């Protein structure tokens, strides 16, 4: 019997795609010769390709009608066994629907924030797992995978590894901590000034320098961090996605909020100190296949008790993020990397 053809939809963003890899890895493991076509935003095509899980990656710009029409046309030209929408939005669900895929699997309304989306699916999965990576895996199970999640390894281009190595060498950096102060919503961010104080404390107490990852729109956060770091001399690095992957893979650990770089670091095997506030780490925390109960040595998650989960996007740090002190985070880094104070 020929292997099936799967259409996989996960358009963005960085952390969400990373949390989709284990589910698609389970699909690939179960159907090693299957044709798996992954639809994603052009910005993340490289990331999806780096996983080597998809036979083909089709980039679609959902804000451009010409791109939508072309994608639907391409979908209609192929025969599919199943489409799986791991995103659960109107813009993702409509692609296999208008593409004429007969079997369309997605989340039930209980797990979807946009009202009415499940009407576009032929099969709606009510999830029972807490973490989004395992919820994604429940969709893969429905599609015929033998297990919900499987390990995925990311391939980093040699030229990106060389560029990062050259930068670190020029800065005389060997062992370093990555600080990532930014985030999609500022309400999920720990104050940049506290990152700066942490940077200074790591240099003074552990003789460890930090590398600051600066994402798009985060220049003000980087500037505030550097001002607060005193003479700790953090290195600021702005690179492409492949270079970020190389930087994260070589780090002793990363300190970040619930953002893409945190989840990418975990996927690359890097230790993490995860700072959580308004979002729930039980659902969105760092995820490692097979280590959900035993990964404390690699991932330390800080969140003050009693926080009410919210996805309201504010421009200032949530009060629960302000409740995390520099000393708490410093102690977590020491435990994470096995350093004595």
């Amino acid at each position: 019997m020929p292997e099936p053809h799967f259409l996989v939809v996960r358009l963005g963003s960085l952390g969400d795609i990373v949390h989709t890899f284990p589910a698609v890895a389970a699909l690939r493991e179960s159907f090693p010769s299957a044709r798996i076509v992954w639809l994603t935003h052009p910005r993340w095509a490289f990331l999806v390709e780096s996983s080597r899980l998809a036979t083909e990656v089709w980039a679609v710009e959902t804000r451009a009608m010409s791109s939508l029409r072309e994608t639907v046309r391409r979908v209609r030209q192929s025969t599919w066994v199943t489409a799986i929408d791991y995103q659960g939005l109107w813009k993702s669900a409509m692609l296999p629907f208008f593409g004429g895929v007969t079997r369309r699997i997605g989340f039930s309304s209980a797990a979807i924030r946009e009202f009415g989306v499940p009407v576009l699916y032929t099969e709606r999965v009510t999830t029972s797992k807490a973490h989004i990576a395992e919820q994604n895996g429940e969709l893969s199970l429905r599609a015929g995978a033998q297990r919900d999640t499987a390990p995925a390894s990311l391939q980093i281009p040699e030229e990106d590894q060389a560029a990062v190595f050259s930068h670190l060498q020029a800065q005389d950096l060997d062992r370093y901590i990555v600080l990532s102060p930014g985030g999609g919503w500022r309400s999920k961010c720990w104050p940049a000034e506290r990152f700066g104080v942490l940077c200074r404390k790591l240099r003074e107490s552990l003789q460890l320098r930090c590398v600051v990852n600066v994402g798009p729109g985060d220049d003000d956060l980087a500037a505030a961090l550097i001002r607060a770091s005193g003479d700790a001399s953090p290195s600021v690095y702005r690179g492409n996605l492949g270079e970020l992957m190389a930087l994260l893979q070589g780090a002793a650990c990363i300190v970040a909020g619930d953002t893409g770089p945190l989840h990418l670091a975990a996927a690359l095997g890097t230790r993490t100190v995860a700072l959580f506030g308004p979002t729930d780490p039980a659902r969105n925390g760092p995820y490692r296949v097979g280590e959900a109960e035993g990964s404390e040595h690699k991932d330390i998650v800080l969140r003050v008790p009693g926080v009410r989960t919210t996805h309201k996007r504010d421009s200032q740090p949530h009060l629960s993020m302000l409740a995390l002190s520099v000393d708490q985070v410093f102690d977590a880094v020491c435990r994470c990397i096995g350093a004595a104070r």
Side-chain angles (χ1 to χ4, degrees), residues 46 155-167 237 239-247:
F46 165 80
Q155 187 174 35
I156 306 172
E158 290 183 4
E159 58 268 28
D160 292 328
Q161 295 184 53
V164 170
F165 176 78
S166 177
H167 172 81
Y237 195 69
N240 61 35
L241 188 52
E243 291 167 352
L244 174 61
M245 291 165 68
L247 181 72

Side-chain angles (χ1 to χ4, degrees), residues 95-298:
L95 292 168
F97 177 80
F98 287 115
V101 183
T102 304
R103 186 188 187 203
R104 304 180 300 277
I105 298 174
F107 294 111
S108 69
S109 57
I112 288 180
R113 296 193 186 103
E114 289 190 355
F115 177 77
V117 173
V119 73
L120 299 183
Y121 307 137
T122 58
E123 297 178 40
R124 304 161 190 87
V125 176
T126 300
T127 59
S128 60
K129 302 293 182 67
H131 200 283
I132 185 60
E134 295 176 351
Q135 292 177 15
N136 288 331
E138 292 181 89
L139 300 187
S140 295
L141 285 173
R142 177 64 67 89
Q146 295 175 1
R147 57 173 172 161
D148 57 353
T149 61
S153 60
L154 306 184
Q155 187 174 35
I156 306 172
E158 290 183 4
E159 58 268 28
D160 292 328
Q161 295 184 53
V164 170
F165 176 78
S166 177
H167 172 81
L168 295 174
Q169 197 173 42
Q171 297 285 318
D172 196 25
L173 279 164
D174 180 17
R175 193 164 186 247
Y176 59 92
I177 306 286
V178 170
L179 305 180
S180 193
W185 327 336
R186 290 295 171 94
S187 50
K188 293 193 298 180
C189 297
W190 197 47
E193 293 79 8
R194 297 191 191 182
F195 270 107
V197 176
L198 174 67
C199 178
R200 187 170 71 243
K201 193 160 186 168
L202 288 168
R203 184 69 184 273
E204 292 172 351
S205 300
L206 304 180
Q207 290 72 55
L208 275 174
R209 286 181 59 198
C210 296
V211 179
V212 183
N213 168 54
V214 183
D218 293 337
D219 289 308
D220 60 326
L221 297 179
L225 187 160
I226 292 168
R227 284 195 301 270
S229 68
D231 57 0
S233 303
S235 173
V236 176
Y237 195 69
R238 295 176 175 86
N240 61 35
L241 188 52
E243 291 167 352
L244 174 61
M245 291 165 68
L247 181 72
L248 293 173
Q249 190 175 60
C253 81
I254 181 176
V255 182
D258 177 16
T259 61
L262 174 80
H263 303 302
L264 183 58
L268 290 164
T270 303
R271 296 171 183 270
T272 72
V273 174
L275 312 181
F276 273 72
T279 56
D280 185 1
R283 182 186 188 276
N284 297 336
Y287 185 81
R288 302 174 195 268
V289 176
E291 296 187 37
E293 297 298 327
S295 60
E296 192 173 335
H297 62 293
K298 288 186 178 178

Side-chain angles (χ1 to χ4, degrees), residues 35 58 70-80 99:
R35 182 190 183 207
W58 294 358
E70 174 61 17
T71 300
V72 169
R73 183 191 67 80
R74 293 180 74 183
V75 172
R76 285 188 170 275
Q77 286 180 337
S78 296
T79 301
W80 309 94

Side-chain angles (χ1 to χ4, degrees), residues 7-11 37-41 58-60 71 75 95-96:
L7 183 68
V8 166
V9 188
R10 179 74 241 194
L11 303 172
V37 174
W38 189 317
L39 303 185
T40 193
H41 188 277
W58 294 358
V60 53
T71 300
V75 172
L95 292 168

Side-chain angles (χ1 to χ4, degrees), residues 19 31 45 49 82 130 163 170 178 181 189 242 247 252 259 289 301 315 340:
H19 282 155
F31 303 97
E49 289 166 355
T82 303
V178 170
C189 297
L247 181 72
T259 61
V289 176
V301 178
S315 59

